[in-house]
């Protein structure tokens, strides 16, 4: 079993930056794809970014390309989501997720077996 703990959310003005972290315990993270998702009030959970187990292959939703960066360090059992040039429409609860043997093709929340508790990101205008 993998447990995921997220941190780094908060309140930021439009144009600002935040870095979210996701630390895993219970299993080594190297065999798991790690994805980031977000869910705004009244909306479905949506894909944000994913990184393959090696950390060398990534994919992003069109809405965040060029602004967000996903990364990981398997030695630290940690993944990050760096968010720059934040917009009010980025406001949501952000979740990290992991799936054993997953890939960057996993862009649906249904692809993932393990989830963090979520961290709130609020972007004011």
């Amino acid at each position: 079993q993998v447990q995921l703990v997220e941190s780094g959310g908060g309140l930021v003005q439009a144009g600002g930056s935040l870095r979210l972290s996701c630390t895993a315990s219970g299993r080594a993270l190297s065999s798991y794809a790690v994805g980031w998702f977000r869910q705004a009030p009244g909306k479905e959970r949506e894909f944000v970014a994913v990184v393959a187990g090696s950390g060398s292959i990534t994919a992003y939703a069109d809405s965040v390309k060029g602004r967000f960066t996903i990364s990981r360090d398997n030695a630290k059992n940690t993944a990050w989501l760096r968010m720059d040039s934040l917009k009010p429409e980025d406001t949501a609860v952000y979740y990290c997720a992991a799936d054993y043997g997953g890939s960057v093709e996993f862009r649906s929340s249904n692809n993932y077996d393990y989830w963090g508790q979520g961290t709130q990101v609020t972007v004011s205008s």
Side-chain angles (χ1 to χ4, degrees):
Q1 299 295 312
V2 176
Q3 293 79 45
L4 305 174
V5 178
E6 301 156 331
S7 63
L11 175 65
V12 64
Q13 289 190 326
S17 299
L18 287 172
R19 189 179 73 163
L20 309 182
S21 63
C22 175
T23 299
S25 62
R27 294 286 189 276
L29 199 58
S30 59
S31 297
Y32 295 77
V34 175
W36 285 92
F37 294 79
R38 65 187 183 187
Q39 188 166 22
K43 295 185 177 181
E44 296 182 350
R45 189 169 298 184
E46 66 176 349
F47 167 78
V48 175
V50 59
V51 58
S54 69
S56 61
I57 303 173
T58 60
Y60 299 89
D62 289 342
S63 60
V64 306
K65 285 181 179 177
R67 300 189 297 120
F68 290 12
T69 303
I70 188 170
S71 61
R72 67 191 295 163
D73 186 339
N74 289 331
K76 298 180 179 178
N77 250 21
T78 300
W80 297 270
L81 183 69
R82 173 74 183 189
M83 304 183 293
D84 296 310
S85 301
L86 283 162
K87 304 175 181 179
E89 52 263 45
D90 295 319
T91 295
V93 177
Y94 283 71
Y95 300 88
C96 70
D99 189 75
Y100 183 80
S103 75
V104 295
E105 303 299 324
F106 283 21
R107 304 186 187 186
S108 168
S109 61
N110 293 328
N111 295 139
Y112 293 84
D113 295 322
Y114 304 100
W115 293 83
Q117 80 287 352
T119 185
Q120 176 71 48
V121 172
T122 302
V123 184
S124 65
S125 59

PDB file of all heavy atoms in Angstrom, residues 59-94:
ATOM      1  N   ALA A  59       3.681  14.710 -19.107  1.00  0.00           N
ATOM      2  CA  ALA A  59       2.608  15.188 -19.964  1.00  0.00           C
ATOM      3  C   ALA A  59       1.750  16.156 -19.158  1.00  0.00           C
ATOM      4  O   ALA A  59       1.646  16.038 -17.936  1.00  0.00           O
ATOM      5  CB  ALA A  59       1.769  14.030 -20.495  1.00  0.00           C
ATOM      6  N   TYR A  60       1.134  17.118 -19.862  1.00  0.00           N
ATOM      7  CA  TYR A  60       0.370  18.172 -19.216  1.00  0.00           C
ATOM      8  C   TYR A  60      -0.951  18.400 -19.920  1.00  0.00           C
ATOM      9  O   TYR A  60      -1.072  18.206 -21.134  1.00  0.00           O
ATOM     10  CB  TYR A  60       1.153  19.495 -19.234  1.00  0.00           C
ATOM     11  CG  TYR A  60       2.464  19.441 -18.509  1.00  0.00           C
ATOM     12  CD1 TYR A  60       3.632  19.057 -19.161  1.00  0.00           C
ATOM     13  CD2 TYR A  60       2.542  19.776 -17.160  1.00  0.00           C
ATOM     14  CE1 TYR A  60       4.840  19.003 -18.492  1.00  0.00           C
ATOM     15  CE2 TYR A  60       3.749  19.723 -16.486  1.00  0.00           C
ATOM     16  CZ  TYR A  60       4.891  19.336 -17.149  1.00  0.00           C
ATOM     17  OH  TYR A  60       6.093  19.283 -16.477  1.00  0.00           O
ATOM     18  N   ALA A  61      -1.925  18.846 -19.146  1.00  0.00           N
ATOM     19  CA  ALA A  61      -3.148  19.338 -19.744  1.00  0.00           C
ATOM     20  C   ALA A  61      -2.860  20.611 -20.526  1.00  0.00           C
ATOM     21  O   ALA A  61      -1.978  21.398 -20.161  1.00  0.00           O
ATOM     22  CB  ALA A  61      -4.189  19.620 -18.661  1.00  0.00           C
ATOM     23  N   ASP A  62      -3.605  20.820 -21.596  1.00  0.00           N
ATOM     24  CA  ASP A  62      -3.381  22.005 -22.422  1.00  0.00           C
ATOM     25  C   ASP A  62      -3.517  23.301 -21.618  1.00  0.00           C
ATOM     26  O   ASP A  62      -2.815  24.278 -21.891  1.00  0.00           O
ATOM     27  CB  ASP A  62      -4.360  22.026 -23.587  1.00  0.00           C
ATOM     28  CG  ASP A  62      -4.056  20.975 -24.630  1.00  0.00           C
ATOM     29  OD1 ASP A  62      -2.924  20.454 -24.657  1.00  0.00           O
ATOM     30  OD2 ASP A  62      -4.961  20.671 -25.432  1.00  0.00           O
ATOM     31  N   SER A  63      -4.379  23.304 -20.637  1.00  0.00           N
ATOM     32  CA  SER A  63      -4.646  24.509 -19.873  1.00  0.00           C
ATOM     33  C   SER A  63      -3.472  24.966 -19.013  1.00  0.00           C
ATOM     34  O   SER A  63      -3.443  26.122 -18.582  1.00  0.00           O
ATOM     35  CB  SER A  63      -5.878  24.311 -18.988  1.00  0.00           C
ATOM     36  OG  SER A  63      -5.685  23.243 -18.077  1.00  0.00           O
ATOM     37  N   VAL A  64      -2.513  24.074 -18.746  1.00  0.00           N
ATOM     38  CA  VAL A  64      -1.396  24.422 -17.873  1.00  0.00           C
ATOM     39  C   VAL A  64      -0.046  24.335 -18.563  1.00  0.00           C
ATOM     40  O   VAL A  64       0.981  24.661 -17.940  1.00  0.00           O
ATOM     41  CB  VAL A  64      -1.379  23.556 -16.597  1.00  0.00           C
ATOM     42  CG1 VAL A  64      -2.718  23.639 -15.879  1.00  0.00           C
ATOM     43  CG2 VAL A  64      -1.033  22.106 -16.917  1.00  0.00           C
ATOM     44  N   LYS A  65      -0.006  23.936 -19.811  1.00  0.00           N
ATOM     45  CA  LYS A  65       1.266  23.825 -20.523  1.00  0.00           C
ATOM     46  C   LYS A  65       1.986  25.167 -20.550  1.00  0.00           C
ATOM     47  O   LYS A  65       1.389  26.201 -20.821  1.00  0.00           O
ATOM     48  CB  LYS A  65       1.037  23.336 -21.949  1.00  0.00           C
ATOM     49  CG  LYS A  65       0.725  21.864 -22.060  1.00  0.00           C
ATOM     50  CD  LYS A  65       0.540  21.457 -23.515  1.00  0.00           C
ATOM     51  CE  LYS A  65       0.246  19.975 -23.636  1.00  0.00           C
ATOM     52  NZ  LYS A  65      -0.003  19.574 -25.035  1.00  0.00           N
ATOM     53  N   GLY A  66       3.270  25.112 -20.256  1.00  0.00           N
ATOM     54  CA  GLY A  66       4.077  26.319 -20.221  1.00  0.00           C
ATOM     55  C   GLY A  66       4.038  27.049 -18.905  1.00  0.00           C
ATOM     56  O   GLY A  66       4.834  27.976 -18.696  1.00  0.00           O
ATOM     57  N   ARG A  67       3.134  26.671 -18.005  1.00  0.00           N
ATOM     58  CA  ARG A  67       3.013  27.330 -16.711  1.00  0.00           C
ATOM     59  C   ARG A  67       3.331  26.402 -15.542  1.00  0.00           C
ATOM     60  O   ARG A  67       3.870  26.850 -14.535  1.00  0.00           O
ATOM     61  CB  ARG A  67       1.607  27.894 -16.523  1.00  0.00           C
ATOM     62  CG  ARG A  67       1.214  28.929 -17.565  1.00  0.00           C
ATOM     63  CD  ARG A  67      -0.101  29.619 -17.191  1.00  0.00           C
ATOM     64  NE  ARG A  67      -1.220  28.671 -17.145  1.00  0.00           N
ATOM     65  CZ  ARG A  67      -1.959  28.433 -16.057  1.00  0.00           C
ATOM     66  NH1 ARG A  67      -1.701  29.075 -14.924  1.00  0.00           N
ATOM     67  NH2 ARG A  67      -2.966  27.568 -16.112  1.00  0.00           N
ATOM     68  N   PHE A  68       2.984  25.121 -15.668  1.00  0.00           N
ATOM     69  CA  PHE A  68       3.187  24.151 -14.594  1.00  0.00           C
ATOM     70  C   PHE A  68       4.291  23.182 -14.975  1.00  0.00           C
ATOM     71  O   PHE A  68       4.469  22.851 -16.155  1.00  0.00           O
ATOM     72  CB  PHE A  68       1.913  23.347 -14.337  1.00  0.00           C
ATOM     73  CG  PHE A  68       0.773  24.111 -13.712  1.00  0.00           C
ATOM     74  CD1 PHE A  68       0.792  25.493 -13.610  1.00  0.00           C
ATOM     75  CD2 PHE A  68      -0.324  23.421 -13.227  1.00  0.00           C
ATOM     76  CE1 PHE A  68      -0.268  26.182 -13.040  1.00  0.00           C
ATOM     77  CE2 PHE A  68      -1.383  24.095 -12.655  1.00  0.00           C
ATOM     78  CZ  PHE A  68      -1.370  25.474 -12.558  1.00  0.00           C
ATOM     79  N   THR A  69       5.013  22.693 -13.974  1.00  0.00           N
ATOM     80  CA  THR A  69       6.072  21.718 -14.183  1.00  0.00           C
ATOM     81  C   THR A  69       5.959  20.613 -13.145  1.00  0.00           C
ATOM     82  O   THR A  69       5.939  20.888 -11.947  1.00  0.00           O
ATOM     83  CB  THR A  69       7.461  22.359 -14.077  1.00  0.00           C
ATOM     84  OG1 THR A  69       7.574  23.438 -15.017  1.00  0.00           O
ATOM     85  CG2 THR A  69       8.543  21.327 -14.379  1.00  0.00           C
ATOM     86  N   ILE A  70       5.887  19.377 -13.609  1.00  0.00           N
ATOM     87  CA  ILE A  70       5.851  18.233 -12.712  1.00  0.00           C
ATOM     88  C   ILE A  70       7.238  17.596 -12.678  1.00  0.00           C
ATOM     89  O   ILE A  70       7.929  17.525 -13.698  1.00  0.00           O
ATOM     90  CB  ILE A  70       4.776  17.213 -13.138  1.00  0.00           C
ATOM     91  CG1 ILE A  70       4.614  16.119 -12.078  1.00  0.00           C
ATOM     92  CG2 ILE A  70       5.074  16.616 -14.505  1.00  0.00           C
ATOM     93  CD1 ILE A  70       3.408  15.216 -12.316  1.00  0.00           C
ATOM     94  N   SER A  71       7.644  17.135 -11.505  1.00  0.00           N
ATOM     95  CA  SER A  71       8.943  16.506 -11.355  1.00  0.00           C
ATOM     96  C   SER A  71       8.892  15.498 -10.217  1.00  0.00           C
ATOM     97  O   SER A  71       7.928  15.455  -9.455  1.00  0.00           O
ATOM     98  CB  SER A  71      10.035  17.554 -11.100  1.00  0.00           C
ATOM     99  OG  SER A  71       9.779  18.275  -9.911  1.00  0.00           O
ATOM    100  N   ARG A  72       9.943  14.697 -10.104  1.00  0.00           N
ATOM    101  CA  ARG A  72       9.995  13.720  -9.019  1.00  0.00           C
ATOM    102  C   ARG A  72      11.435  13.389  -8.697  1.00  0.00           C
ATOM    103  O   ARG A  72      12.333  13.547  -9.526  1.00  0.00           O
ATOM    104  CB  ARG A  72       9.222  12.444  -9.388  1.00  0.00           C
ATOM    105  CG  ARG A  72       9.848  11.648 -10.530  1.00  0.00           C
ATOM    106  CD  ARG A  72       8.905  10.553 -11.019  1.00  0.00           C
ATOM    107  NE  ARG A  72       8.674   9.541  -9.999  1.00  0.00           N
ATOM    108  CZ  ARG A  72       7.676   8.662 -10.022  1.00  0.00           C
ATOM    109  NH1 ARG A  72       6.796   8.690 -11.033  1.00  0.00           N
ATOM    110  NH2 ARG A  72       7.547   7.766  -9.054  1.00  0.00           N
ATOM    111  N   ASP A  73      11.647  12.913  -7.476  1.00  0.00           N
ATOM    112  CA  ASP A  73      12.934  12.408  -7.034  1.00  0.00           C
ATOM    113  C   ASP A  73      12.644  11.112  -6.302  1.00  0.00           C
ATOM    114  O   ASP A  73      12.171  11.128  -5.162  1.00  0.00           O
ATOM    115  CB  ASP A  73      13.643  13.409  -6.131  1.00  0.00           C
ATOM    116  CG  ASP A  73      15.051  12.974  -5.756  1.00  0.00           C
ATOM    117  OD1 ASP A  73      15.362  11.773  -5.834  1.00  0.00           O
ATOM    118  OD2 ASP A  73      15.848  13.844  -5.361  1.00  0.00           O
ATOM    119  N   ASN A  74      12.905  10.002  -6.959  1.00  0.00           N
ATOM    120  CA  ASN A  74      12.562   8.715  -6.364  1.00  0.00           C
ATOM    121  C   ASN A  74      13.378   8.412  -5.111  1.00  0.00           C
ATOM    122  O   ASN A  74      12.908   7.688  -4.232  1.00  0.00           O
ATOM    123  CB  ASN A  74      12.739   7.605  -7.397  1.00  0.00           C
ATOM    124  CG  ASN A  74      11.675   7.652  -8.469  1.00  0.00           C
ATOM    125  OD1 ASN A  74      10.556   8.092  -8.234  1.00  0.00           O
ATOM    126  ND2 ASN A  74      12.020   7.195  -9.666  1.00  0.00           N
ATOM    127  N   ALA A  75      14.588   8.950  -5.012  1.00  0.00           N
ATOM    128  CA  ALA A  75      15.384   8.758  -3.809  1.00  0.00           C
ATOM    129  C   ALA A  75      14.720   9.392  -2.597  1.00  0.00           C
ATOM    130  O   ALA A  75      14.922   8.945  -1.465  1.00  0.00           O
ATOM    131  CB  ALA A  75      16.787   9.325  -4.002  1.00  0.00           C
ATOM    132  N   LYS A  76      13.940  10.444  -2.825  1.00  0.00           N
ATOM    133  CA  LYS A  76      13.211  11.121  -1.753  1.00  0.00           C
ATOM    134  C   LYS A  76      11.759  10.672  -1.663  1.00  0.00           C
ATOM    135  O   LYS A  76      11.028  11.143  -0.786  1.00  0.00           O
ATOM    136  CB  LYS A  76      13.262  12.631  -1.952  1.00  0.00           C
ATOM    137  CG  LYS A  76      14.664  13.216  -1.897  1.00  0.00           C
ATOM    138  CD  LYS A  76      14.637  14.717  -2.112  1.00  0.00           C
ATOM    139  CE  LYS A  76      16.036  15.297  -2.032  1.00  0.00           C
ATOM    140  NZ  LYS A  76      16.041  16.757  -2.277  1.00  0.00           N
ATOM    141  N   ASN A  77      11.338   9.798  -2.571  1.00  0.00           N
ATOM    142  CA  ASN A  77       9.948   9.338  -2.623  1.00  0.00           C
ATOM    143  C   ASN A  77       8.980  10.517  -2.699  1.00  0.00           C
ATOM    144  O   ASN A  77       7.911  10.510  -2.074  1.00  0.00           O
ATOM    145  CB  ASN A  77       9.612   8.461  -1.422  1.00  0.00           C
ATOM    146  CG  ASN A  77       9.426   7.002  -1.798  1.00  0.00           C
ATOM    147  OD1 ASN A  77       9.903   6.539  -2.836  1.00  0.00           O
ATOM    148  ND2 ASN A  77       8.725   6.264  -0.955  1.00  0.00           N
ATOM    149  N   THR A  78       9.340  11.508  -3.494  1.00  0.00           N
ATOM    150  CA  THR A  78       8.589  12.745  -3.544  1.00  0.00           C
ATOM    151  C   THR A  78       8.388  13.202  -4.981  1.00  0.00           C
ATOM    152  O   THR A  78       9.276  13.037  -5.825  1.00  0.00           O
ATOM    153  CB  THR A  78       9.311  13.848  -2.750  1.00  0.00           C
ATOM    154  OG1 THR A  78       9.435  13.441  -1.380  1.00  0.00           O
ATOM    155  CG2 THR A  78       8.537  15.156  -2.801  1.00  0.00           C
ATOM    156  N   ALA A  79       7.219  13.767  -5.247  1.00  0.00           N
ATOM    157  CA  ALA A  79       6.932  14.428  -6.507  1.00  0.00           C
ATOM    158  C   ALA A  79       6.470  15.844  -6.215  1.00  0.00           C
ATOM    159  O   ALA A  79       5.952  16.136  -5.136  1.00  0.00           O
ATOM    160  CB  ALA A  79       5.867  13.671  -7.288  1.00  0.00           C
ATOM    161  N   TRP A  80       6.655  16.726  -7.180  1.00  0.00           N
ATOM    162  CA  TRP A  80       6.295  18.138  -7.029  1.00  0.00           C
ATOM    163  C   TRP A  80       5.495  18.609  -8.230  1.00  0.00           C
ATOM    164  O   TRP A  80       5.591  18.079  -9.329  1.00  0.00           O
ATOM    165  CB  TRP A  80       7.542  19.012  -6.926  1.00  0.00           C
ATOM    166  CG  TRP A  80       8.412  18.747  -5.755  1.00  0.00           C
ATOM    167  CD1 TRP A  80       8.340  19.321  -4.520  1.00  0.00           C
ATOM    168  CD2 TRP A  80       9.520  17.838  -5.711  1.00  0.00           C
ATOM    169  NE1 TRP A  80       9.329  18.838  -3.711  1.00  0.00           N
ATOM    170  CE2 TRP A  80      10.070  17.926  -4.408  1.00  0.00           C
ATOM    171  CE3 TRP A  80      10.104  16.969  -6.631  1.00  0.00           C
ATOM    172  CZ2 TRP A  80      11.175  17.179  -4.012  1.00  0.00           C
ATOM    173  CZ3 TRP A  80      11.197  16.220  -6.236  1.00  0.00           C
ATOM    174  CH2 TRP A  80      11.721  16.331  -4.944  1.00  0.00           C
ATOM    175  N   LEU A  81       4.721  19.640  -8.002  1.00  0.00           N
ATOM    176  CA  LEU A  81       4.067  20.378  -9.066  1.00  0.00           C
ATOM    177  C   LEU A  81       4.373  21.856  -8.862  1.00  0.00           C
ATOM    178  O   LEU A  81       3.863  22.472  -7.922  1.00  0.00           O
ATOM    179  CB  LEU A  81       2.556  20.150  -9.082  1.00  0.00           C
ATOM    180  CG  LEU A  81       1.807  20.834 -10.227  1.00  0.00           C
ATOM    181  CD1 LEU A  81       2.160  20.180 -11.563  1.00  0.00           C
ATOM    182  CD2 LEU A  81       0.295  20.795  -9.997  1.00  0.00           C
ATOM    183  N   ARG A  82       5.214  22.397  -9.722  1.00  0.00           N
ATOM    184  CA  ARG A  82       5.536  23.815  -9.690  1.00  0.00           C
ATOM    185  C   ARG A  82       4.531  24.555 -10.557  1.00  0.00           C
ATOM    186  O   ARG A  82       4.353  24.219 -11.728  1.00  0.00           O
ATOM    187  CB  ARG A  82       6.952  24.052 -10.214  1.00  0.00           C
ATOM    188  CG  ARG A  82       7.339  25.519 -10.375  1.00  0.00           C
ATOM    189  CD  ARG A  82       7.596  26.176  -9.041  1.00  0.00           C
ATOM    190  NE  ARG A  82       7.898  27.593  -9.195  1.00  0.00           N
ATOM    191  CZ  ARG A  82       8.321  28.385  -8.221  1.00  0.00           C
ATOM    192  NH1 ARG A  82       8.530  27.885  -7.002  1.00  0.00           N
ATOM    193  NH2 ARG A  82       8.552  29.660  -8.452  1.00  0.00           N
ATOM    194  N   MET A  83       3.872  25.542  -9.990  1.00  0.00           N
ATOM    195  CA  MET A  83       2.833  26.289 -10.680  1.00  0.00           C
ATOM    196  C   MET A  83       3.258  27.750 -10.768  1.00  0.00           C
ATOM    197  O   MET A  83       3.436  28.412  -9.742  1.00  0.00           O
ATOM    198  CB  MET A  83       1.501  26.162  -9.950  1.00  0.00           C
ATOM    199  CG  MET A  83       1.056  24.716  -9.750  1.00  0.00           C
ATOM    200  SD  MET A  83      -0.564  24.583  -8.946  1.00  0.00           S
ATOM    201  CE  MET A  83      -0.163  25.236  -7.319  1.00  0.00           C
ATOM    202  N   ASP A  84       3.409  28.232 -11.981  1.00  0.00           N
ATOM    203  CA  ASP A  84       3.782  29.615 -12.235  1.00  0.00           C
ATOM    204  C   ASP A  84       2.674  30.304 -13.016  1.00  0.00           C
ATOM    205  O   ASP A  84       1.826  29.655 -13.625  1.00  0.00           O
ATOM    206  CB  ASP A  84       5.087  29.690 -13.029  1.00  0.00           C
ATOM    207  CG  ASP A  84       6.279  29.134 -12.285  1.00  0.00           C
ATOM    208  OD1 ASP A  84       6.484  29.521 -11.120  1.00  0.00           O
ATOM    209  OD2 ASP A  84       7.010  28.312 -12.880  1.00  0.00           O
ATOM    210  N   SER A  85       2.702  31.627 -13.014  1.00  0.00           N
ATOM    211  CA  SER A  85       1.722  32.432 -13.750  1.00  0.00           C
ATOM    212  C   SER A  85       0.302  31.986 -13.449  1.00  0.00           C
ATOM    213  O   SER A  85      -0.521  31.784 -14.343  1.00  0.00           O
ATOM    214  CB  SER A  85       2.003  32.354 -15.258  1.00  0.00           C
ATOM    215  OG  SER A  85       3.299  32.830 -15.557  1.00  0.00           O
ATOM    216  N   LEU A  86       0.014  31.837 -12.179  1.00  0.00           N
ATOM    217  CA  LEU A  86      -1.285  31.315 -11.767  1.00  0.00           C
ATOM    218  C   LEU A  86      -2.418  32.261 -12.148  1.00  0.00           C
ATOM    219  O   LEU A  86      -2.264  33.484 -12.118  1.00  0.00           O
ATOM    220  CB  LEU A  86      -1.295  31.059 -10.269  1.00  0.00           C
ATOM    221  CG  LEU A  86      -0.561  29.776  -9.852  1.00  0.00           C
ATOM    222  CD1 LEU A  86      -0.227  29.811  -8.368  1.00  0.00           C
ATOM    223  CD2 LEU A  86      -1.404  28.553 -10.183  1.00  0.00           C
ATOM    224  N   LYS A  87      -3.545  31.654 -12.494  1.00  0.00           N
ATOM    225  CA  LYS A  87      -4.744  32.369 -12.891  1.00  0.00           C
ATOM    226  C   LYS A  87      -5.876  32.033 -11.935  1.00  0.00           C
ATOM    227  O   LYS A  87      -5.881  30.965 -11.327  1.00  0.00           O
ATOM    228  CB  LYS A  87      -5.153  31.963 -14.313  1.00  0.00           C
ATOM    229  CG  LYS A  87      -4.079  32.156 -15.361  1.00  0.00           C
ATOM    230  CD  LYS A  87      -4.536  31.602 -16.702  1.00  0.00           C
ATOM    231  CE  LYS A  87      -3.473  31.771 -17.762  1.00  0.00           C
ATOM    232  NZ  LYS A  87      -3.916  31.213 -19.068  1.00  0.00           N
ATOM    233  N   PRO A  88      -6.866  32.909 -11.800  1.00  0.00           N
ATOM    234  CA  PRO A  88      -8.001  32.581 -10.931  1.00  0.00           C
ATOM    235  C   PRO A  88      -8.660  31.254 -11.285  1.00  0.00           C
ATOM    236  O   PRO A  88      -9.138  30.550 -10.382  1.00  0.00           O
ATOM    237  CB  PRO A  88      -8.956  33.756 -11.143  1.00  0.00           C
ATOM    238  CG  PRO A  88      -8.047  34.897 -11.459  1.00  0.00           C
ATOM    239  CD  PRO A  88      -6.943  34.298 -12.296  1.00  0.00           C
ATOM    240  N   GLU A  89      -8.688  30.896 -12.553  1.00  0.00           N
ATOM    241  CA  GLU A  89      -9.300  29.644 -12.954  1.00  0.00           C
ATOM    242  C   GLU A  89      -8.505  28.414 -12.531  1.00  0.00           C
ATOM    243  O   GLU A  89      -8.979  27.289 -12.687  1.00  0.00           O
ATOM    244  CB  GLU A  89      -9.560  29.604 -14.466  1.00  0.00           C
ATOM    245  CG  GLU A  89      -8.346  29.945 -15.305  1.00  0.00           C
ATOM    246  CD  GLU A  89      -8.334  31.396 -15.750  1.00  0.00           C
ATOM    247  OE1 GLU A  89      -8.604  32.288 -14.919  1.00  0.00           O
ATOM    248  OE2 GLU A  89      -8.066  31.636 -16.950  1.00  0.00           O
ATOM    249  N   ASP A  90      -7.296  28.611 -11.993  1.00  0.00           N
ATOM    250  CA  ASP A  90      -6.532  27.510 -11.423  1.00  0.00           C
ATOM    251  C   ASP A  90      -6.986  27.164 -10.010  1.00  0.00           C
ATOM    252  O   ASP A  90      -6.518  26.167  -9.445  1.00  0.00           O
ATOM    253  CB  ASP A  90      -5.040  27.848 -11.394  1.00  0.00           C
ATOM    254  CG  ASP A  90      -4.438  27.993 -12.778  1.00  0.00           C
ATOM    255  OD1 ASP A  90      -4.770  27.183 -13.665  1.00  0.00           O
ATOM    256  OD2 ASP A  90      -3.627  28.919 -12.973  1.00  0.00           O
ATOM    257  N   THR A  91      -7.855  27.963  -9.434  1.00  0.00           N
ATOM    258  CA  THR A  91      -8.344  27.715  -8.081  1.00  0.00           C
ATOM    259  C   THR A  91      -9.044  26.365  -8.010  1.00  0.00           C
ATOM    260  O   THR A  91      -9.970  26.089  -8.776  1.00  0.00           O
ATOM    261  CB  THR A  91      -9.298  28.823  -7.645  1.00  0.00           C
ATOM    262  OG1 THR A  91      -8.578  30.056  -7.552  1.00  0.00           O
ATOM    263  CG2 THR A  91      -9.919  28.512  -6.294  1.00  0.00           C
ATOM    264  N   ALA A  92      -8.601  25.515  -7.099  1.00  0.00           N
ATOM    265  CA  ALA A  92      -9.145  24.169  -6.965  1.00  0.00           C
ATOM    266  C   ALA A  92      -8.446  23.473  -5.810  1.00  0.00           C
ATOM    267  O   ALA A  92      -7.444  23.958  -5.281  1.00  0.00           O
ATOM    268  CB  ALA A  92      -8.931  23.364  -8.256  1.00  0.00           C
ATOM    269  N   VAL A  93      -8.977  22.324  -5.433  1.00  0.00           N
ATOM    270  CA  VAL A  93      -8.250  21.403  -4.581  1.00  0.00           C
ATOM    271  C   VAL A  93      -7.382  20.541  -5.491  1.00  0.00           C
ATOM    272  O   VAL A  93      -7.876  19.946  -6.450  1.00  0.00           O
ATOM    273  CB  VAL A  93      -9.193  20.525  -3.743  1.00  0.00           C
ATOM    274  CG1 VAL A  93      -8.393  19.520  -2.921  1.00  0.00           C
ATOM    275  CG2 VAL A  93     -10.043  21.390  -2.824  1.00  0.00           C
ATOM    276  N   TYR A  94      -6.107  20.482  -5.186  1.00  0.00           N
ATOM    277  CA  TYR A  94      -5.157  19.728  -5.992  1.00  0.00           C
ATOM    278  C   TYR A  94      -4.803  18.423  -5.289  1.00  0.00           C
ATOM    279  O   TYR A  94      -4.498  18.409  -4.097  1.00  0.00           O
ATOM    280  CB  TYR A  94      -3.895  20.549  -6.243  1.00  0.00           C
ATOM    281  CG  TYR A  94      -4.083  21.598  -7.305  1.00  0.00           C
ATOM    282  CD1 TYR A  94      -4.863  22.722  -7.064  1.00  0.00           C
ATOM    283  CD2 TYR A  94      -3.494  21.464  -8.560  1.00  0.00           C
ATOM    284  CE1 TYR A  94      -5.058  23.681  -8.040  1.00  0.00           C
ATOM    285  CE2 TYR A  94      -3.682  22.418  -9.546  1.00  0.00           C
ATOM    286  CZ  TYR A  94      -4.465  23.528  -9.279  1.00  0.00           C
ATOM    287  OH  TYR A  94      -4.652  24.482 -10.254  1.00  0.00           O
TER     288      TYR A  94
END
